[in-house]
Amino acid sequence: MTLSPYVSTAYLSPPPQDELVELPPRRARRAGRTNVLVVGGGPAGIGAALGAAATGVRVTLVERYGFLGGNATAALVMPLTSFHNEIKQAVGGDDTRLLPTDHGEGEPVVGGVLWTMLDRLHQMGGVIKPSPDTGYTVPFDPELFKLTAYELLAEAGVHMLLHSFASDVIDLPDGARVVFEGKSGPIVIDADVVVDCTGDGDLAAAAGAPYEIGRPEDGLTQPMTLMFRMGRFNHEGFNGYVREHPDQWRGVYGLWDLIREATEAGELDLTREDLLFFATPYDDEVAVNSTRVTGVLGTSVFDLTRAELVAHEQMAQIARFLRRRVPGFEQSYAIQSGVQVGVRETRRIQGEYTLTGDDVLTARKFDDVIARGAYPVDIHNPTGRGTVLKRLPQGASYDIPLRCLLPRGTDRLLVAGRAISGDHVAHSSYRVMPISMATGQAAGVTAALASRDGKPPRDLSVETVQRELRNQRASLA
Ligand SMILES: Cc1cc2nc3c(=O)[nH]c(=O)nc-3n(C[C@H](O)[C@H](O)[C@H](O)COP(=O)(O)OP(=O)(O)OC[C@H]3O[C@@H](n4cnc5c(N)ncnc54)[C@H](O)[C@@H]3O)c2cc1C
């Protein structure tokens, strides 16, 4: 099936790199000073703001959208991946539960604000907590995720500003000034320390920190995916199909034969060979992670525009396919897609240390550990079909050193979440939401202690940071 004509033509082409114009100087309103300024309200930003606020300093959190959650809510990325190691070999599970069946029993390697958030979400009825029955993944309700974040941040005394896009950062003798664009015109906020939780390292890059993008051989990044929710799903009907065709579904992915038939009939033209979808807290709804747009970069608005159009066309195809051909989906419909296409990978800001794929896969330990991960290397093919999944050794987890959060060439800025310092392979593991929240908490704590002591973050002793993180129940060993 070819794309509708509007999809292939209706976007502005990227201009030549040298087509530049000067802008006149302008004035901005100064919206005050804070000890710690967290920019970006995704998993890392929520972790950073809560971690910093718990030390008692003044914290401001600024987000470009009108709500918090980052990929968890804006891109409808569900569920949270497992943050448990695997102590025992997986014994397989019920393929009809729409959750991974290949995760053996294990222990959590992330603690701290992630659990605070899960406990509160649980009280609200918005999460299924991780257990062997969920394959240790965590289905959640994105609307209740937003509410939980607001409640916890408000209780912690964090000041929030929404609808404000950070466009620049300027050095101050004793801190940094961040410029925000929005309906009120340009605004600046001054801070002792800034934590860049934009996922793209927007501020670290603006501050002149070096960064890398994509694979070493060709610079290509992991593909983008527009996620969407299918409602009025009949789980029992789908179970019947899985029981009759046990070779066609592996917990959360499959349908190879039906996809082949639909492709041959001209109904589907996808970059994936299978469909991937997950249970949500609601039995009549699934979260579909199956569109795939390659050759696009999340820091280019031209690429993002093309990706949105192509991904929406793919979503329409998949929703039609599910309704027409897949038992259990006969009455289903696409309730909602992400506010934006999901971006897996952009800049990796180069820090004092670059975590490598080898560090992840050999479960390397570091004296300056501030967070841990156990999620596998998980690379969706940047050029087309297939996904590479490589697991850590049994029972193992890897350490993330504080140095990965300290961008080179900047003094008053930390980075957290998926933009921290690592190579393409390591990134594919630490990018997931539980680990992003953990690096966020660590960056927030480091920023707060640096502000309290009147020092740049890299002059703090790591033991001080680790002590505070342990007080906050972060898991470091
Ligand atoms: C399709 C897809 C599927 C995935 N599947 C899973 C999964 O199943 N489970 C899992 O745990 N992880 C998954 N991930 C990974 C995970 O969603 C992200 O890597 C994670 O959300 C990163 O967290 P973050 O806080 O660093 O960035 P983000 O979640 O991207 O949050 C960044 C925040 O900063 C804001 N922002 C960005 N730029 C600016 C700016 N200049 N000024 C102000 N605000 C700004 C954004 O609006 C956003 O709120 C998936 C990712 C994608 C794209």
Side-chain angles (χ1 to χ4, degrees), residues 421-477:
S421 181
D423 69 12
H424 171 73
V425 176
H427 172 277
S428 73
S429 168
Y430 63 66
R431 69 189 171 93
V432 294
M433 294 186 282
I435 305 176
S436 291
M437 208 172 261
T439 59
Q441 182 174 6
V445 162
T446 310
L449 299 181
S451 162
R452 190 196 61 191
D453 293 357
K455 290 178 177 174
R458 62 168 52 76
D459 292 350
L460 278 181
S461 86
V462 70
E463 291 78 17
T464 319
V465 174
Q466 289 169 331
R467 199 175 315 118
E468 176 59 26
L469 281 170
R470 287 199 176 93
N471 283 343
Q472 296 188 14
R473 298 179 182 281
S475 174
L476 305 187

Tab-separated table of all heavy atoms in Angstrom, residues 421-477:
chain	number	residue	atom	x	y	z
A	421	SER	N	25.888	10.554	29.067
A	421	SER	CA	27.063	10.191	28.269
A	421	SER	C	27.219	8.673	28.144
A	421	SER	O	27.462	7.974	29.124
A	421	SER	CB	28.301	10.775	28.955
A	421	SER	OG	29.452	10.485	28.226
A	422	GLY	N	27.059	8.187	26.932
A	422	GLY	CA	27.235	6.763	26.672
A	422	GLY	C	27.354	6.538	25.182
A	422	GLY	O	27.137	7.470	24.397
A	423	ASP	N	27.680	5.311	24.794
A	423	ASP	CA	27.722	5.043	23.355
A	423	ASP	C	26.345	4.554	22.888
A	423	ASP	O	25.420	4.371	23.687
A	423	ASP	CB	28.893	4.112	22.991
A	423	ASP	CG	28.719	2.684	23.500
A	423	ASP	OD1	27.603	2.329	23.932
A	423	ASP	OD2	29.711	1.920	23.457
A	424	HIS	N	26.247	4.342	21.576
A	424	HIS	CA	24.959	3.974	20.972
A	424	HIS	C	24.379	2.698	21.610
A	424	HIS	O	23.164	2.604	21.833
A	424	HIS	CB	25.204	3.777	19.467
A	424	HIS	CG	24.070	3.202	18.699
A	424	HIS	ND1	22.931	3.925	18.398
A	424	HIS	CD2	23.896	1.975	18.153
A	424	HIS	CE1	22.116	3.159	17.691
A	424	HIS	NE2	22.660	1.976	17.535
A	425	VAL	N	25.256	1.740	21.925
A	425	VAL	CA	24.783	0.456	22.454
A	425	VAL	C	24.335	0.613	23.915
A	425	VAL	O	23.246	0.167	24.295
A	425	VAL	CB	25.884	-0.621	22.314
A	425	VAL	CG1	25.439	-1.933	22.944
A	425	VAL	CG2	26.228	-0.831	20.837
A	426	ALA	N	25.152	1.277	24.735
A	426	ALA	CA	24.769	1.468	26.150
A	426	ALA	C	23.473	2.275	26.238
A	426	ALA	O	22.584	1.978	27.045
A	426	ALA	CB	25.889	2.188	26.898
A	427	HIS	N	23.349	3.280	25.381
A	427	HIS	CA	22.159	4.131	25.370
A	427	HIS	C	20.879	3.308	25.208
A	427	HIS	O	19.841	3.613	25.812
A	427	HIS	CB	22.292	5.144	24.229
A	427	HIS	CG	21.061	5.965	23.983
A	427	HIS	ND1	20.013	5.514	23.212
A	427	HIS	CD2	20.707	7.191	24.424
A	427	HIS	CE1	19.070	6.439	23.180
A	427	HIS	NE2	19.459	7.462	23.903
A	428	SER	N	20.967	2.243	24.390
A	428	SER	CA	19.761	1.465	24.100
A	428	SER	C	19.232	0.773	25.358
A	428	SER	O	18.081	0.358	25.393
A	428	SER	CB	20.034	0.436	22.998
A	428	SER	OG	20.830	-0.627	23.511
A	429	SER	N	20.062	0.672	26.396
A	429	SER	CA	19.618	0.104	27.672
A	429	SER	C	19.214	1.201	28.663
A	429	SER	O	18.105	1.184	29.188
A	429	SER	CB	20.736	-0.745	28.276
A	429	SER	OG	20.424	-1.066	29.610
A	430	TYR	N	20.103	2.186	28.906
A	430	TYR	CA	19.817	3.150	29.984
A	430	TYR	C	18.751	4.171	29.603
A	430	TYR	O	18.310	4.953	30.424
A	430	TYR	CB	21.086	3.843	30.492
A	430	TYR	CG	21.845	4.707	29.511
A	430	TYR	CD1	21.306	5.865	28.989
A	430	TYR	CD2	23.140	4.374	29.122
A	430	TYR	CE1	22.001	6.663	28.097
A	430	TYR	CE2	23.854	5.155	28.237
A	430	TYR	CZ	23.275	6.299	27.727
A	430	TYR	OH	23.976	7.085	26.841
A	431	ARG	N	18.303	4.183	28.331
A	431	ARG	CA	17.298	5.155	27.895
A	431	ARG	C	15.907	4.909	28.496
A	431	ARG	O	15.063	5.803	28.462
A	431	ARG	CB	17.181	5.118	26.370
A	431	ARG	CG	16.559	3.838	25.846
A	431	ARG	CD	16.638	3.699	24.343
A	431	ARG	NE	16.219	2.384	23.908
A	431	ARG	CZ	14.977	2.058	23.544
A	431	ARG	NH1	14.038	2.968	23.538
A	431	ARG	NH2	14.681	0.833	23.164
A	432	VAL	N	15.649	3.711	29.033
A	432	VAL	CA	14.273	3.384	29.420
A	432	VAL	C	13.843	4.172	30.670
A	432	VAL	O	14.676	4.692	31.403
A	432	VAL	CB	14.072	1.863	29.631
A	432	VAL	CG1	14.239	1.123	28.318
A	432	VAL	CG2	14.997	1.318	30.702
A	433	MET	N	12.533	4.234	30.883
A	433	MET	CA	11.990	5.186	31.866
A	433	MET	C	12.443	4.956	33.304
A	433	MET	O	12.806	5.927	33.980
A	433	MET	CB	10.468	5.228	31.745
A	433	MET	CG	10.042	5.814	30.400
A	433	MET	SD	8.273	6.064	30.205
A	433	MET	CE	7.727	4.403	29.862
A	434	PRO	N	12.466	3.704	33.824
A	434	PRO	CA	12.913	3.565	35.222
A	434	PRO	C	14.357	4.041	35.422
A	434	PRO	O	14.666	4.697	36.425
A	434	PRO	CB	12.782	2.056	35.475
A	434	PRO	CG	11.756	1.599	34.502
A	434	PRO	CD	11.974	2.437	33.271
A	435	ILE	N	15.234	3.729	34.470
A	435	ILE	CA	16.639	4.128	34.630
A	435	ILE	C	16.763	5.646	34.434
A	435	ILE	O	17.534	6.318	35.125
A	435	ILE	CB	17.555	3.348	33.659
A	435	ILE	CG1	17.358	1.841	33.831
A	435	ILE	CG2	19.028	3.724	33.891
A	435	ILE	CD1	18.141	0.970	32.856
A	436	SER	N	15.970	6.208	33.521
A	436	SER	CA	15.989	7.672	33.334
A	436	SER	C	15.564	8.374	34.616
A	436	SER	O	16.111	9.410	34.995
A	436	SER	CB	15.042	8.078	32.197
A	436	SER	OG	15.547	7.643	30.967
A	437	MET	N	14.570	7.804	35.297
A	437	MET	CA	14.130	8.418	36.554
A	437	MET	C	15.244	8.352	37.600
A	437	MET	O	15.452	9.282	38.376
A	437	MET	CB	12.875	7.705	37.058
A	437	MET	CG	12.008	8.599	37.891
A	437	MET	SD	10.430	7.842	38.306
A	437	MET	CE	9.370	8.587	37.109
A	438	ALA	N	15.987	7.246	37.592
A	438	ALA	CA	17.081	7.084	38.567
A	438	ALA	C	18.230	8.053	38.277
A	438	ALA	O	18.777	8.667	39.195
A	438	ALA	CB	17.584	5.642	38.546
A	439	THR	N	18.606	8.222	37.010
A	439	THR	CA	19.691	9.186	36.719
A	439	THR	C	19.183	10.600	36.978
A	439	THR	O	19.940	11.480	37.387
A	439	THR	CB	20.240	9.047	35.286
A	439	THR	OG1	19.194	9.244	34.324
A	439	THR	CG2	20.902	7.710	35.057
A	440	GLY	N	17.862	10.809	36.783
A	440	GLY	CA	17.282	12.117	37.106
A	440	GLY	C	17.409	12.414	38.590
A	440	GLY	O	17.879	13.485	38.988
A	441	GLN	N	17.035	11.450	39.415
A	441	GLN	CA	17.124	11.666	40.868
A	441	GLN	C	18.571	11.983	41.264
A	441	GLN	O	18.829	12.887	42.065
A	441	GLN	CB	16.626	10.429	41.611
A	441	GLN	CG	16.639	10.599	43.118
A	441	GLN	CD	15.993	9.420	43.849
A	441	GLN	OE1	15.634	8.417	43.227
A	441	GLN	NE2	15.846	9.543	45.145
A	442	ALA	N	19.501	11.242	40.683
A	442	ALA	CA	20.923	11.454	41.029
A	442	ALA	C	21.383	12.845	40.586
A	442	ALA	O	22.101	13.541	41.326
A	442	ALA	CB	21.777	10.377	40.360
A	443	ALA	N	20.959	13.279	39.414
A	443	ALA	CA	21.366	14.608	38.935
A	443	ALA	C	20.746	15.694	39.811
A	443	ALA	O	21.400	16.697	40.141
A	443	ALA	CB	20.936	14.783	37.478
A	444	GLY	N	19.469	15.481	40.212
A	444	GLY	CA	18.805	16.476	41.063
A	444	GLY	C	19.510	16.610	42.402
A	444	GLY	O	19.745	17.716	42.894
A	445	VAL	N	19.868	15.464	42.992
A	445	VAL	CA	20.569	15.481	44.286
A	445	VAL	C	21.924	16.180	44.131
A	445	VAL	O	22.309	17.031	44.944
A	445	VAL	CB	20.737	14.030	44.803
A	445	VAL	CG1	21.805	13.944	45.878
A	445	VAL	CG2	19.405	13.516	45.317
A	446	THR	N	22.646	15.846	43.074
A	446	THR	CA	23.976	16.453	42.860
A	446	THR	C	23.845	17.966	42.683
A	446	THR	O	24.613	18.751	43.268
A	446	THR	CB	24.651	15.826	41.615
A	446	THR	OG1	24.579	14.414	41.721
A	446	THR	CG2	26.094	16.258	41.491
A	447	ALA	N	22.853	18.386	41.897
A	447	ALA	CA	22.656	19.818	41.661
A	447	ALA	C	22.323	20.526	42.969
A	447	ALA	O	22.849	21.608	43.268
A	447	ALA	CB	21.532	20.017	40.648
A	448	ALA	N	21.457	19.906	43.778
A	448	ALA	CA	21.034	20.531	45.035
A	448	ALA	C	22.203	20.666	46.005
A	448	ALA	O	22.393	21.713	46.635
A	448	ALA	CB	19.925	19.698	45.665
A	449	LEU	N	23.014	19.616	46.111
A	449	LEU	CA	24.147	19.675	47.047
A	449	LEU	C	25.189	20.673	46.563
A	449	LEU	O	25.809	21.383	47.368
A	449	LEU	CB	24.762	18.279	47.221
A	449	LEU	CG	23.816	17.212	47.803
A	449	LEU	CD1	24.536	15.878	47.962
A	449	LEU	CD2	23.221	17.663	49.144
A	450	ALA	N	25.365	20.773	45.262
A	450	ALA	CA	26.312	21.752	44.712
A	450	ALA	C	25.822	23.163	45.018
A	450	ALA	O	26.605	24.039	45.410
A	450	ALA	CB	26.451	21.542	43.199
A	451	SER	N	24.515	23.384	44.864
A	451	SER	CA	23.950	24.702	45.164
A	451	SER	C	24.134	25.019	46.654
A	451	SER	O	24.563	26.113	47.019
A	451	SER	CB	22.470	24.704	44.781
A	451	SER	OG	21.808	25.756	45.411
A	452	ARG	N	23.826	24.048	47.496
A	452	ARG	CA	23.940	24.264	48.954
A	452	ARG	C	25.370	24.618	49.345
A	452	ARG	O	25.612	25.513	50.139
A	452	ARG	CB	23.503	22.980	49.670
A	452	ARG	CG	23.341	23.110	51.161
A	452	ARG	CD	23.311	21.743	51.812
A	452	ARG	NE	24.565	21.008	51.585
A	452	ARG	CZ	24.733	19.718	51.859
A	452	ARG	NH1	23.741	19.015	52.344
A	452	ARG	NH2	25.899	19.132	51.643
A	453	ASP	N	26.356	23.936	48.722
A	453	ASP	CA	27.763	24.147	49.087
A	453	ASP	C	28.427	25.253	48.275
A	453	ASP	O	29.626	25.509	48.433
A	453	ASP	CB	28.560	22.847	48.885
A	453	ASP	CG	28.123	21.761	49.861
A	453	ASP	OD1	27.249	22.054	50.710
A	453	ASP	OD2	28.632	20.634	49.761
A	454	GLY	N	27.660	25.854	47.331
A	454	GLY	CA	28.218	26.935	46.505
A	454	GLY	C	29.365	26.479	45.622
A	454	GLY	O	30.341	27.203	45.420
A	455	LYS	N	29.252	25.254	45.086
A	455	LYS	CA	30.339	24.700	44.271
A	455	LYS	C	29.794	24.264	42.921
A	455	LYS	O	28.610	23.891	42.824
A	455	LYS	CB	30.866	23.409	44.899
A	455	LYS	CG	31.608	23.530	46.162
A	455	LYS	CD	31.973	22.104	46.584
A	455	LYS	CE	32.809	22.108	47.853
A	455	LYS	NZ	33.041	20.753	48.325
A	456	PRO	N	30.625	24.176	41.890
A	456	PRO	CA	30.184	23.482	40.674
A	456	PRO	C	30.001	21.992	40.976
A	456	PRO	O	30.729	21.440	41.811
A	456	PRO	CB	31.358	23.678	39.699
A	456	PRO	CG	32.200	24.760	40.285
A	456	PRO	CD	31.974	24.741	41.770
A	457	PRO	N	29.033	21.340	40.320
A	457	PRO	CA	28.746	19.925	40.634
A	457	PRO	C	29.973	19.018	40.571
A	457	PRO	O	30.111	18.105	41.386
A	457	PRO	CB	27.733	19.536	39.558
A	457	PRO	CG	27.078	20.810	39.157
A	457	PRO	CD	28.098	21.893	39.336
A	458	ARG	N	30.910	19.275	39.652
A	458	ARG	CA	32.017	18.322	39.537
A	458	ARG	C	33.011	18.437	40.693
A	458	ARG	O	33.850	17.568	40.867
A	458	ARG	CB	32.737	18.408	38.187
A	458	ARG	CG	33.409	19.686	37.827
A	458	ARG	CD	34.314	19.500	36.596
A	458	ARG	NE	33.656	18.879	35.454
A	458	ARG	CZ	32.799	19.483	34.639
A	458	ARG	NH1	32.469	20.753	34.857
A	458	ARG	NH2	32.269	18.861	33.622
A	459	ASP	N	32.874	19.503	41.533
A	459	ASP	CA	33.764	19.631	42.695
A	459	ASP	C	33.207	18.959	43.955
A	459	ASP	O	33.852	18.958	44.992
A	459	ASP	CB	34.027	21.121	42.997
A	459	ASP	CG	34.849	21.769	41.900
A	459	ASP	OD1	35.360	21.024	41.028
A	459	ASP	OD2	34.967	23.008	41.894
A	460	LEU	N	32.004	18.420	43.872
A	460	LEU	CA	31.432	17.719	45.045
A	460	LEU	C	32.107	16.375	45.224
A	460	LEU	O	32.489	15.735	44.238
A	460	LEU	CB	29.962	17.415	44.797
A	460	LEU	CG	28.896	18.463	45.027
A	460	LEU	CD1	27.542	17.829	44.717
A	460	LEU	CD2	28.916	18.956	46.463
A	461	SER	N	32.173	15.909	46.462
A	461	SER	CA	32.689	14.542	46.635
A	461	SER	C	31.554	13.571	46.312
A	461	SER	O	30.389	13.800	46.690
A	461	SER	CB	33.189	14.328	48.060
A	461	SER	OG	32.131	13.933	48.880
A	462	VAL	N	31.908	12.503	45.602
A	462	VAL	CA	30.867	11.555	45.192
A	462	VAL	C	30.243	10.866	46.402
A	462	VAL	O	29.056	10.523	46.394
A	462	VAL	CB	31.421	10.553	44.158
A	462	VAL	CG1	32.411	9.596	44.785
A	462	VAL	CG2	30.289	9.787	43.505
A	463	GLU	N	31.041	10.717	47.473
A	463	GLU	CA	30.494	10.065	48.676
A	463	GLU	C	29.315	10.869	49.239
A	463	GLU	O	28.337	10.301	49.729
A	463	GLU	CB	31.567	9.918	49.778
A	463	GLU	CG	32.680	8.929	49.465
A	463	GLU	CD	33.723	9.490	48.509
A	463	GLU	OE1	33.784	10.738	48.338
A	463	GLU	OE2	34.476	8.692	47.906
A	464	THR	N	29.413	12.208	49.167
A	464	THR	CA	28.317	13.047	49.678
A	464	THR	C	27.051	12.792	48.863
A	464	THR	O	25.946	12.689	49.406
A	464	THR	CB	28.699	14.546	49.530
A	464	THR	OG1	30.054	14.693	49.878
A	464	THR	CG2	27.836	15.435	50.366
A	465	VAL	N	27.223	12.706	47.551
A	465	VAL	CA	26.070	12.459	46.675
A	465	VAL	C	25.487	11.076	46.969
A	465	VAL	O	24.272	10.906	47.123
A	465	VAL	CB	26.493	12.561	45.187
A	465	VAL	CG1	25.340	12.164	44.274
A	465	VAL	CG2	27.002	13.964	44.874
A	466	GLN	N	26.352	10.089	47.097
A	466	GLN	CA	25.877	8.714	47.327
A	466	GLN	C	25.151	8.613	48.670
A	466	GLN	O	24.134	7.920	48.781
A	466	GLN	CB	27.055	7.738	47.284
A	466	GLN	CG	27.601	7.559	45.867
A	466	GLN	CD	28.927	6.812	45.833
A	466	GLN	OE1	29.709	6.875	46.793
A	466	GLN	NE2	29.201	6.139	44.724
A	467	ARG	N	25.680	9.330	49.686
A	467	ARG	CA	25.043	9.272	51.013
A	467	ARG	C	23.607	9.806	50.929
A	467	ARG	O	22.662	9.200	51.425
A	467	ARG	CB	25.863	10.089	52.025
A	467	ARG	CG	25.567	9.743	53.463
A	467	ARG	CD	26.473	10.477	54.459
A	467	ARG	NE	27.871	10.483	54.071
A	467	ARG	CZ	28.604	11.584	53.809
A	467	ARG	NH1	28.068	12.777	53.912
A	467	ARG	NH2	29.873	11.493	53.469
A	468	GLU	N	23.448	10.960	50.260
A	468	GLU	CA	22.101	11.538	50.142
A	468	GLU	C	21.184	10.626	49.310
A	468	GLU	O	20.001	10.445	49.626
A	468	GLU	CB	22.180	12.940	49.521
A	468	GLU	CG	20.840	13.597	49.250
A	468	GLU	CD	19.953	13.781	50.498
A	468	GLU	OE1	20.488	13.871	51.629
A	468	GLU	OE2	18.707	13.822	50.320
A	469	LEU	N	21.736	10.038	48.261
A	469	LEU	CA	20.908	9.137	47.439
A	469	LEU	C	20.443	7.935	48.269
A	469	LEU	O	19.297	7.508	48.171
A	469	LEU	CB	21.679	8.678	46.202
A	469	LEU	CG	21.744	9.699	45.065
A	469	LEU	CD1	22.734	9.263	43.988
A	469	LEU	CD2	20.360	9.888	44.427
A	470	ARG	N	21.345	7.414	49.094
A	470	ARG	CA	20.933	6.274	49.947
A	470	ARG	C	19.861	6.707	50.932
A	470	ARG	O	18.902	5.971	51.179
A	470	ARG	CB	22.149	5.690	50.674
A	470	ARG	CG	23.053	4.897	49.738
A	470	ARG	CD	23.996	3.936	50.483
A	470	ARG	NE	24.749	3.171	49.514
A	470	ARG	CZ	25.962	3.512	49.056
A	470	ARG	NH1	26.572	4.592	49.514
A	470	ARG	NH2	26.560	2.766	48.143
A	471	ASN	N	20.011	7.949	51.496
A	471	ASN	CA	18.958	8.473	52.385
A	471	ASN	C	17.622	8.494	51.661
A	471	ASN	O	16.574	8.315	52.270
A	471	ASN	CB	19.246	9.935	52.780
A	471	ASN	CG	20.308	10.033	53.831
A	471	ASN	OD1	20.602	9.038	54.485
A	471	ASN	ND2	20.896	11.220	53.974
A	472	GLN	N	17.680	8.760	50.372
A	472	GLN	CA	16.438	8.839	49.578
A	472	GLN	C	16.047	7.460	49.011
A	472	GLN	O	15.253	7.367	48.099
A	472	GLN	CB	16.603	9.847	48.440
A	472	GLN	CG	16.808	11.269	48.903
A	472	GLN	CD	16.784	12.281	47.759
A	472	GLN	OE1	16.366	11.979	46.644
A	472	GLN	NE2	17.236	13.490	48.036
A	473	ARG	N	16.637	6.419	49.533
A	473	ARG	CA	16.321	5.025	49.171
A	473	ARG	C	16.628	4.667	47.724
A	473	ARG	O	16.020	3.757	47.142
A	473	ARG	CB	14.844	4.694	49.471
A	473	ARG	CG	14.509	4.824	50.932
A	473	ARG	CD	13.046	4.524	51.166
A	473	ARG	NE	12.708	4.687	52.568
A	473	ARG	CZ	12.969	3.808	53.512
A	473	ARG	NH1	13.554	2.673	53.226
A	473	ARG	NH2	12.632	4.049	54.765
A	474	ALA	N	17.571	5.420	47.131
A	474	ALA	CA	18.029	5.009	45.796
A	474	ALA	C	18.811	3.708	45.941
A	474	ALA	O	19.385	3.438	47.001
A	474	ALA	CB	18.912	6.093	45.194
A	475	SER	N	18.830	2.908	44.880
A	475	SER	CA	19.495	1.606	44.951
A	475	SER	C	20.848	1.709	44.255
A	475	SER	O	20.915	1.857	43.035
A	475	SER	CB	18.598	0.575	44.269
A	475	SER	OG	19.253	-0.657	44.205
A	476	LEU	N	21.937	1.648	45.048
A	476	LEU	CA	23.276	1.801	44.469
A	476	LEU	C	24.081	0.517	44.533
A	476	LEU	O	25.170	0.440	43.956
A	476	LEU	CB	24.052	2.923	45.173
A	476	LEU	CG	23.387	4.304	45.236
A	476	LEU	CD1	24.353	5.336	45.807
A	476	LEU	CD2	22.905	4.756	43.868
A	477	ALA	N	23.651	-0.450	45.307
A	477	ALA	CA	24.405	-1.712	45.372
A	477	ALA	C	23.507	-2.809	45.893
A	477	ALA	O	22.500	-2.542	46.509
A	477	ALA	CB	25.591	-1.574	46.305
